[in-house]
């Protein structure tokens, strides 16, 4: 049997490798505390589960879903944009439900990228932007997000050749893995760059509603001129603890919505209708769980920042996302520091190099474990570092 050449260029998925490492360590008897994966530990809100359960019993929901998502779900997503961002979207031509945002993020390259085309990807960044570009025969070009610039890109660094060959510019704020929020001019500069160079601005807003300390994250579609050039990806996964349900969306440019929809309708058959009903309840029902989630993550963020700062770091608590992006001590490599934390503290973190070259020198801690384990993990790390220093 001969697999396709294109998958030779594909690295193993970072989190699949991390899952394996955690399992191996547990098999060796290590009581592993995993800070590795951004998968909310708290349950989906009860009203959402009930809406999904009720919809399960309706045989109308047992058939193939409509390809473009239920009209009610598209309207619910447009309603959310109106309330939350004061952005008006046409539910027919500007809203496309996705089987989780990862699905649409990955399929976008098929709709936009021909062999040899460039995709500009944040570095460090969520790995799917680059790997989907590779699968489409494209060339991911890293957009550096240095800490010294608050993890913002400088589009003047893109060479004229790459700008001309680029089909998609990816941004993601609040950001995974750095937890940075969008800088003041970041979206406006990206809209301008995409208009000038005739490419799509794809903004991944998976963490737009997971923010702290009064910070309210914007939609890229609030930027003047964005609707013609931008497609924004959203998700119920992190806001409502619904990673397993698989509901996301792409909204914005009608051209991009049509192109992605054309790819998708040829590949998948949409989201199970009962889950779409649950998704509508998430968006239109009571929102207390969203605020409760923020409070939980903020507390965990503060516990971990305080603990690491007591061990010598000088971390500033991030304003969004569910991560801490932590420089390795003394510039140690991210893989080596992650190994040390696993072997000496039984804690798994994601090595920054898994997010691109620009992630080297950092590890990512996820805040999706309960306070007691988080505190224990932080204590173990402090102890291991002290022993190593002595
Ligand atoms: N985008 C970012 C930045 C993420 O971190 C994730 C998941 O961790 C996703 C997208 C995918 O989310 P989902 O497919 O669950 O909507």
């Amino acid at each position: 049997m001969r697999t396709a050449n294109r998958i030779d260029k594909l690295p193993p998925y970072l989190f699949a490798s991390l899952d394996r490492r955690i399992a191996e360590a547990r098999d060796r008897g290590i009581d592993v505390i995993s800070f590795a994966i951004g998968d909310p530990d708290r349950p989906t809100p009860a009203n959402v589960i009930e809406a999904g359960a009720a919809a399960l019993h309706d045989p109308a929901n047992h058939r193939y879903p409509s390809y473009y998502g239920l009209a009610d779900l598209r309207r619910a997503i447009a309603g959310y944009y109106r309330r939350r961002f004061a952005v008006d979207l046409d539910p027919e031509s500007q809203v496309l439900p996705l089987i989780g945002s990862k699905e649409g993020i990955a399929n976008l390259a098929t709709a936009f990228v021909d062999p040899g085309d460039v995709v500009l990807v944040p570095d460090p960044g969520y790995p799917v932007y680059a790997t989907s570009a590779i699968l489409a025969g494209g060339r991911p070009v890293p957009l550096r997000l240095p800490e010294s610039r608050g993890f913002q890109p400088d589009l003047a660094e893109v060479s004229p050749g790459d700008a001309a060959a680029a089909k998609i510019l990816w941004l993601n704020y609040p950001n995974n893995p750095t937890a940075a929020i969008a800088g003041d001019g970041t979206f406006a500069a990206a809209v301008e760059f995409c208009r000038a160079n005739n490419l799509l601005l794809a903004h991944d807003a998976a963490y737009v509603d997971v923010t702290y300390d009064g910070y309210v994250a914007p939609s890229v579609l609030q930027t003047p001129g964005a609707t013609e050039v931008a497609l924004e990806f959203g998700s119920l996964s992190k806001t409502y603890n619904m990673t397993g349900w698989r509901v996301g969306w792409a909204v914005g440019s009608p051209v991009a919505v049509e192109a992605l929809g054309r790819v998708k309708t040829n590949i998948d058959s949409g989201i199970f209708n009962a889950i779409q009903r649950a998704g509508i309840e998430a968006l239109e029902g009571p929102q207390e769980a969203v605020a409760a989630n923020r409070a939980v993550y903020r507390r965990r963020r503060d516990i971990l920042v305080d603990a690491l700062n007591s061990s010598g770091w000088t971390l500033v608590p991030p304003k969004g996302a569910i991560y801490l992006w932590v420089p390795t001590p003394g510039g140690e490599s991210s893989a080596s520091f992650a190994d040390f934390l696993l072997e000496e503290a039984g804690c798994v973190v994601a090595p920054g190099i898994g997010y691109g070259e620009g992630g080297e020198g950092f590890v990512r801690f996820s805040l999706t474990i309960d306070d007691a384990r988080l505190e224990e993990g932080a204590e173990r790390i402090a102890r291991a570092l002290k022993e190593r220093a002595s």
Side-chain angles (χ1 to χ4, degrees), residues 100-102 105 126 129 172 176 204 206-207 235 237-238 246:
S101 65
K102 183 181 182 186
I105 290 168
Y126 182 56
Y129 316 135
N172 163 223
N176 174 16
D204 179 352
Y207 300 94
S235 174
S237 287
K238 313 290 161 120
R246 314 308 302 135

Side-chain angles (χ1 to χ4, degrees), residues 105-123 126-144 155 158 161-171 193-194 199-202:
I105 290 168
N107 278 323
L108 186 68
T110 309
F112 275 82
V113 178
D114 288 314
D117 287 347
V118 161
V119 177
L120 299 167
V121 299
D123 181 15
Y126 182 56
V128 185
Y129 316 135
T131 46
S132 57
I134 293 170
L135 279 177
R139 183 164 59 89
V141 169
L143 266 182
R144 289 185 326 111
L155 295 167
V158 179
D162 286 343
K167 291 296 223 20
I168 305 175
L169 161 61
W170 276 104
L171 291 181
F193 180 89
C194 290
L199 63 142
L200 174 71
L201 171 56

Side-chain angles (χ1 to χ4, degrees), residues 88 96 122 133 135 146 151 171 229 233 236 257 278 309 322 327 330 364:
D88 276 317
L96 182 65
L135 279 177
F151 304 107
L171 291 181
V229 293
F233 289 79
L236 300 181
V257 164
N309 284 354
I322 53 176
R364 193 195 74 172

Side-chain angles (χ1 to χ4, degrees), residues 70-119:
L70 291 170
D72 285 350
L73 177 58
R74 280 184 273 119
R75 278 195 291 268
I77 294 164
Y80 159 74
Y81 262 77
R82 203 172 312 115
R83 285 190 307 277
R84 171 70 174 81
F85 303 112
V87 167
D88 276 317
L89 296 170
D90 170 18
E92 292 297 316
S93 63
Q94 292 188 287
V95 178
L96 182 65
L98 302 171
I99 310 168
S101 65
K102 183 181 182 186
E103 174 263 297
I105 290 168
N107 278 323
L108 186 68
T110 309
F112 275 82
V113 178
D114 288 314
D117 287 347
V118 161
V119 177

